[in-house]
Amino acid sequence: MGVTPKIAPSMLSSDFANLASEAKRMLDFGADWLHMDIMDGHFVPNLTIGAPVIESLRKHTKAYLDCHLMVTNPIDYVEPLGKVGASGFTFHVEASKENWQELIQKIKSKGMKPGVALKPGTPIEEVYPLVDCENPVEMVLVMTVEPGFGGQKFMPEMMDKVRALRKKYASLDIEVDGGLGPSTIDMAASAGANCIVAGSSVFGAPEPAAVISHMRKSVLENEEKC
C-alpha cells in the first residue's frame, strides 16, 4: 500500500478541562496524531472548539493536530487555524462544492495538509475530483458515523467507500472516524484505512496504550497483505 498507520485519538472524548495533559497522555500512550473536531453548531448540531483552543494546545505540544472541520464555511477558518498552528485541515465536500479548489490552495499556502471528508450519505465519487486534480487533497476522511457527536455505532457499510478509494489510490492517506475500536479496527484496516480516529474506545479504555497498539498492529498487518 505504501502508507503508514496514524492513530489519532479524538480529543472530543478527552477531559477538556485538562486538554494539555490529556494530549500528553495520549502521545505517551503511542498516538501519532491528535484529532481535533471543530463544529460550528450549523453544519452539525453540536458546537465544540475553534482556533483559540488550538492556539492554547499548541503551546503545550508539537504533535500533529489533525483538524476536522464540520462547518458550513470552511474557507473562513483557514487563516485563523493556520495562524495558531493547526497541522491538518480536513473540510467537508458537502460544504465546499463551489470553492474546493480555492480552499485547497489556501490551506496549503498556510502550511497545513488539506483533507476532504464525506458524510455517510455522500457518494464516494464526489471526492474523486479533489484527489485527481492538479493541486489535490492529501487525505480523504470517510465518516463511519453521522458527524456531530461522539460515541456512535460504527457503520460497516461505509467500508465499501474505503475499498473503492484504496483500489484507486494506493498511496493516499485514508482516514476513518466514528465507532472505531478493538472490535471494528480489522474491518477498517482490511478495507484499506490507515489513519484511524478513535475517541471513547481509547479514552474509556482501562489501558489506552494497548488499544492504540492493537489498532496500529491491525493497520500494519493489513498493509503487508496488500
Side-chain angles (χ1 to χ4, degrees), residues 46-217:
N46 204 2
L47 183 66
T48 57
I49 62 168
V53 173
I54 302 296
E55 182 176 26
S56 297
L57 183 57
R58 179 51 81 207
K59 291 171 185 170
H60 298 276
T61 184
K62 292 186 171 71
Y64 186 97
L65 300 180
D66 176 37
C67 297
H68 175 198
L69 283 286
M70 286 163 272
V71 301
T72 302
N73 296 305
I75 205 153
D76 295 342
Y77 293 73
V78 177
E79 192 149 331
L81 284 173
K83 198 174 173 182
V84 298
S87 311
F89 187 112
T90 299
F91 58 90
H92 267 264
V93 69
E94 302 88 355
S96 58
K97 289 183 179 177
E98 306 302 319
N99 64 349
W100 58 263
Q101 288 166 308
E102 181 191 359
L103 191 48
I104 294 169
Q105 178 59 43
K106 265 191 108 165
I107 293 165
K108 289 185 177 179
S109 76
K110 298 298 174 188
M112 295 178 288
K113 173 178 171 170
V116 65
L118 67 161
K119 292 180 177 182
T122 302
I124 193 62
E125 290 78 13
E126 291 202 16
V127 305
Y128 291 164
L130 287 73
V131 187
D132 292 332
C133 66
E134 201 172 300
N135 193 25
V137 292
E138 296 172 31
M139 183 174 78
V140 175
L141 165 53
V142 175
M143 290 302 298
T144 46
V145 297
E146 287 296 338
F149 296 93
Q152 295 183 68
K153 197 176 175 188
F154 178 80
M155 299 168 73
E157 61 272 25
M158 292 303 111
M159 294 306 95
D160 288 343
K161 294 181 180 180
V162 175
R163 275 187 283 273
L165 279 171
R166 183 55 71 209
K167 188 176 178 183
K168 199 166 162 61
Y169 309 108
S171 58
L172 179 70
D173 275 336
I174 301 174
E175 187 167 63
V176 284
D177 180 3
L180 273 304
S183 64
T184 52
I185 181 60
D186 289 343
M187 273 188 278
S190 63
N194 67 298
C195 303
I196 312 295
V197 178
S200 44
S201 67
V202 171
F203 283 95
E207 293 183 46
V211 176
I212 290 171
S213 173
H214 174 78
M215 291 194 288
R216 175 177 287 104
K217 188 181 174 194

Side-chain angles (χ1 to χ4, degrees), residues 1-4 170-172 223:
M1 231 168 18
V3 290
T4 56
S171 58
L172 179 70
E223 187 183 341

